[in-house]
Amino acid sequence: VHAARDIPKGETILYVPLKEIITLEMCMQSPIGIQMFNRGFRQRLLSPKHSFFSCFIMEETRKPDSYWAKYIDILPKSFEVYPIFYTEEEMSWLENTDMVRMVKTKLEDMKKDYDTITTEVPDFKQFPLKEYMEKRLLVASRIFGIDIYDNKTDGFVPYADMLNHKRPRETSWTYCNKRQGFIIEAIVDIKRG
């Protein structure tokens, strides 16, 4: 993303109202999320919040009238660039690196959570392992830790999740209770371009 004009320090660059943010609490109130919550999965899964978010996105993907359809539609559809989906040949390029062990561990962890959910939540069986893994990657790369009225949570924040980072950083982000939304503000003067 490049600035189309000069942006002065302190200016709000992005505002996303709460009603447009998918929060962890929202995910736990979905049909499958309720079943997972009631079975204590927040404490039992290796990556509970990622699993709740993944299930929510998979559920919403199957709803023809989902409020979140437009957001879900812009999420990536291809995942072969992620090491957990590398071919055997591509993994061989990483031979003798710690990456091979890390990928193996990540695959095992995702499979373990998937198997736990599938065993105890019959409705979850409609979701293939590969789709669950893809959604877990989306979640891990896109959720923001936010604090809404002293409740530490996480959320998918449309538009904000498409912005790249620059070092040193030129913006800061937070959830603003007064404005009831997620904001990104310039912390320095940002020149056009």
Side-chain angles (χ1 to χ4, degrees):
V1 173
H2 299 277
R5 61 170 174 77
D6 289 348
I7 300 171
K9 177 180 177 179
E11 183 174 317
T12 298
I13 297 170
L14 177 70
Y15 167 76
V16 180
L18 179 58
K19 70 179 184 136
E20 302 297 331
I21 299 172
I22 300 172
T23 65
L24 177 58
E25 291 71 22
M26 186 182 300
C27 296
M28 290 188 299
Q29 290 302 310
S30 72
I32 291 177
I34 291 169
Q35 294 175 59
M36 291 170 59
F37 182 83
N38 289 341
R39 286 171 176 77
F41 283 175
R42 274 193 90 173
Q43 293 77 32
R44 296 175 44 216
L45 296 176
L46 297 171
S47 293
K49 68 182 176 184
H50 291 167
S51 294
F52 278 101
F53 275 101
S54 300
C55 292
F56 180 85
I57 295 298
M58 290 187 295
E59 284 181 281
E60 291 298 311
T61 299
R62 285 158 174 76
K63 290 181 183 175
D65 60 345
S66 171
Y67 178 80
W68 304 103
K70 289 182 181 178
Y71 174 64
I72 292 169
D73 190 50
I74 65 169
L75 294 172
K77 308 286 185 268
S78 177
F79 297 89
E80 67 272 352
V81 298
Y82 289 90
I84 68 165
F85 291 117
Y86 280 5
T87 64
E88 285 185 32
E89 179 185 357
E90 290 167 325
M91 284 305 291
S92 73
W93 301 338
L94 300 173
E95 191 175 348
N96 299 320
T97 70
D98 199 37
M99 181 62 85
V100 174
R101 180 195 57 77
M102 292 168 54
V103 168
K104 183 180 179 204
T105 301
K106 180 57 74 179
L107 284 167
E108 290 169 354
D109 289 353
M110 286 184 174
K111 176 93 168 66
K112 185 174 180 182
D113 278 353
Y114 177 83
D115 289 343
T116 299
I117 301 167
T118 302
T119 300
E120 298 185 40
V121 180
D123 293 343
F124 185 78
K125 292 177 183 174
Q126 67 182 301
F127 306 129
L129 173 61
K130 185 173 188 278
E131 182 183 3
Y132 170 75
M133 292 168 61
E134 291 170 350
K135 298 311 181 267
R136 282 271 302 261
L137 292 171
L138 287 175
V139 171
S141 64
R142 283 173 172 72
I143 60 172
F144 289 84
I146 51 180
D147 189 326
I148 303 173
Y149 300 108
D150 295 324
N151 176 40
K152 290 189 185 311
T153 189
D154 294 278
F156 267 120
V157 184
Y159 297 111
D161 63 2
M162 294 189 294
L163 300 177
N164 291 325
H165 304 281
K166 180 178 181 178
R167 298 209 187 276
R169 69 189 185 121
E170 297 178 333
T171 62
S172 69
W173 56 264
T174 190
Y175 182 85
C176 179
N177 289 320
K178 184 178 178 182
R179 294 180 64 186
Q180 297 182 0
F182 182 94
I183 59 170
I184 296 178
E185 293 180 328
I187 58 173
V188 297
D189 291 334
I190 300 172
K191 293 292 182 192
R192 180 178 184 265

